[in-house]
Structures are given as structure tokens and as C-alpha cells.
Amino acid sequence: NGATRQVYSQLMWARSKAVTENGSYAITFPTNQTMLITDLTTGSTTRTVNIQSEYTDVTLSSTASTITFSSRGTSDVAPTITLTNSGGTKAVALKITGSATIS
């Protein structure tokens, strides 16, 4: 549950930054435990989130390799990010509108 909330909050942080800065932010998943958040205006990675630093047995996968939030807070794709550990799976579903749900 905690790892899922962390992924959700990072997505919403990137969306909020895109809106407040009137720019674009991208989220990529280079490994099954890492999210990179990049400011596309500057091209710099603003956050690297390793989910296993707090949740050692959790892995993540996304149905989209890159998610981009626009200055309007919308997403270019509607992926599902699945988090898995020995206890089961949880998912964060992102909509094109930029809102997300945890299931």
C-alpha cells in the first residue's frame, strides 16, 4: 500500500509541477524499481525515485514506457502502473485527464 501511494504521489507531483511551471514533465521507468521524473523544458531529471529504497520487495511495471504531463495537467497516455510483492499486487491507473486512481 505504501509503495502504491508513493508512486501515486510522485505522479501527482509531476502533474502539479507541469501546471504551475506552465511546462511539461515526463516520467520514465528505466528499471523495475525506478521512476525518473524529468522537466522537459530544461531537460534535467528533477527526481529519481527508487521504490525499493523504502519497500525492498516491491517491483513496478508500467503499460507505458513514458508518461508526459502537459501544462494543462493532462497526460499523453493512460497507463496502468502495477506494483507487485509477495503479498500481491496494487495498481495506479492514470487517465488522459491527468487524474489517477489506486486499485
Side-chain angles (χ1 to χ4, degrees):
N1 289 332
T4 306
R5 287 190 301 272
Q6 183 178 10
V7 168
Y8 173 88
S9 68
Q10 294 301 319
L11 288 170
M12 294 301 98
W13 179 85
R15 179 182 186 222
S16 173
K17 293 293 278 183
V19 171
T20 58
E21 295 177 3
N22 197 29
S24 296
Y25 274 71
I27 296 108
T28 56
F29 304 91
T31 70
N32 70 348
Q33 65 191 39
T34 309
M35 296 171 60
L36 294 180
I37 303 173
T38 305
D39 179 345
L40 294 179
T41 305
T42 64
S44 63
T45 299
T46 58
R47 286 191 179 184
T48 302
V49 179
N50 184 337
I51 202 75
Q52 289 189 348
S53 62
E54 291 184 43
Y55 307 98
T56 56
D57 62 338
V58 175
T59 59
L60 59 85
S61 63
S62 176
T63 57
S65 59
T66 302
I67 302 165
T68 303
F69 287 108
S70 73
S71 60
R72 297 175 61 201
T74 58
S75 173
D76 65 332
V77 291
T80 299
I81 302 154
T82 305
L83 293 97
T84 307
N85 71 0
S86 59
T89 62
K90 290 274 192 176
V92 178
L94 182 66
K95 297 178 184 174
I96 293 287
T97 60
S99 65
T101 57
I102 295 174
S103 59

